[in-house]
Amino acid sequence: MGPDGLGPESLGADELALRRLLHQAVEEIEPSDGTLEHLRRAVPARRARKRQALVGMAAAALFIGTAVPALVHVSNASGSNADPSIAGNSSQAQGGTSQGKNPDGGESTAGGGSGTSKNHGKHGRTGAPDKGKGTSTGAATGGPGPSASAPAAPACTAAQLGGATSTVGVPDSAGAVYGSFSVSNVSGTSCTVSGGGAVSTLAQGAADASKIGVVTHVTGDAATGLPDPSTEVASLVLQPSVSYVVKFAWVPSETCPTTGGGEPSPDPSSTEGAATGGGTGTDTSGTGTSAQFLTEDGVADGSVTVSYAADTGASASTTVSGACAGTVYRTGILAAS
């Protein structure tokens, strides 16, 4: 009975002849001496190699599972001088003493840090790494100040940002007045502030609200005393008790209106009387503002209140005196110096 379930009697003549030829071809073939012993050794060895391969794959998976979280932890490290390049240099910090020679005797260049390049230049012949300099390049240094690029901190909440303060200076030779707003992290944990908040103005006295505007500071504008826009950041990690700053500049476009002289009105009622009687306390600027107090030289008293409100609700304001028309130039988020 053949393997297909058919006996010799069911085969044709040609098939029977082919069958006899095949039997004759292999009837004298016998296994060589030691074949059985070889199989007894080879089968267990093959099984052992398979087990070793499985163990190696498990070890590689375990290494990847532990190395990746550690690398992420190093790349998320924050500090006062933290920089986006810290993620590239984290491979040096993670490598430790293992980034010495390669199996072929050359020096490892993993991480691409500048410290590794120096080592390769000085010790390329011996392959010995410079432990004193190789892994220190690119590490963040400094105190616990805010970091412009360090992530891994949750967004600041209204409860974390507070203590908003404001400052304002005196007019410079061109009449510009510079000031700033500061908001602090009043909580005990780090958080990330993003969004520059809002700056608004309020015209008071003879100030004309239609002639007052708020614009973002750019390079080459009239607010030359403000920091260069390149120093601004989109987000900032604030350590506890650390602040961020938004600066502004008031640049006048016109002086406050004059009325031809006169003494200051002693109280609002006398000013109102002057307004109805056509006295010197009336508004002659044509801007529709109500009658104002006058200074001794006849200039109407006007001021502009500049206010800042963070996205989380913290706010502060300050007043620029002797201001009636002009532009407020504001910066974005700046690290407190």
Side-chain angles (χ1 to χ4, degrees):
M1 186 70 67
D4 55 358
L6 301 175
E9 63 278 1
S10 62
L11 300 176
D14 293 338
E15 293 174 336
L16 289 174
L18 178 60
R19 180 174 180 175
R20 284 194 299 269
L21 289 175
L22 292 175
H23 285 176
Q24 293 172 1
V26 299
E27 64 183 357
E28 295 181 357
I29 297 176
E30 295 181 356
S32 60
D33 295 339
T35 299
L36 182 59
E37 186 64 26
H38 171 73
L39 292 175
R40 288 174 178 173
R41 291 193 307 268
V43 171
R46 183 178 179 183
R47 291 174 179 173
R49 286 194 297 270
K50 287 184 177 180
R51 286 195 300 268
Q52 291 173 358
L54 291 175
V55 172
M57 293 174 62
L62 179 61
F63 173 77
I64 293 175
T66 56
V68 170
L71 179 61
V72 172
H73 173 73
V74 172
S75 65
N76 287 340
S78 61
S80 60
N81 294 330
D83 189 80
S85 62
I86 191 173
N89 291 328
S90 63
S91 59
Q92 294 183 349
Q94 177 67 19
T97 58
S98 65
Q99 56 176 0
K101 299 180 180 178
N102 284 332
D104 58 356
E107 205 173 61
S108 173
T109 58
S114 58
T116 305
S117 300
K118 294 180 181 178
N119 293 338
H120 185 72
K122 295 182 180 180
H123 304 282
R125 297 181 180 178
T126 61
D130 187 349
K131 296 181 180 179
K133 297 180 181 179
T135 59
S136 62
T137 303
T141 58
S147 170
S149 60
C156 295
T157 64
Q160 289 179 293
L161 292 183
T165 59
S166 63
T167 61
V168 65
V170 297
D172 61 12
S173 58
V177 178
Y178 292 87
S180 65
F181 302 99
S182 176
V183 181
S184 302
N185 179 4
V186 296
S187 69
T189 58
S190 300
C191 65
T192 301
V193 59
S194 58
V199 174
S200 59
T201 60
L202 176 64
Q204 297 181 341
D208 187 352
S210 65
K211 296 182 179 181
I212 298 172
V214 178
V215 298
T216 301
H217 170 54
V218 296
T219 303
D221 61 20
T224 57
L226 290 178
D228 189 271
S230 62
T231 61
E232 301 175 9
V233 295
S235 62
L236 195 67
V237 175
L238 293 183
Q239 306 292 339
S241 302
V242 176
S243 306
Y244 75 89
V245 176
V246 172
K247 296 187 177 182
F248 73 90
W250 164 261
V251 179
S253 59
E254 299 178 12
T255 59
C256 289
T258 59
T259 58
E263 295 295 326
S265 302
D267 54 54
S269 60
S270 61
T271 305
E272 293 173 0
T276 57
T280 58
T282 58
D283 174 27
T284 60
S285 64
T287 61
T289 57
S290 60
Q292 307 297 329
F293 287 102
L294 303 177
T295 60
E296 293 183 357
D297 58 358
V299 178
D301 185 14
S303 62
V304 175
T305 297
V306 183
S307 301
Y308 173 76
D311 293 340
T312 55
S315 62
S317 62
T318 187
T319 299
V320 180
S321 301
C324 292
T327 302
V328 174
Y329 295 85
R330 59 151 300 174
T331 68
I333 298 175
L334 300 170
S337 57

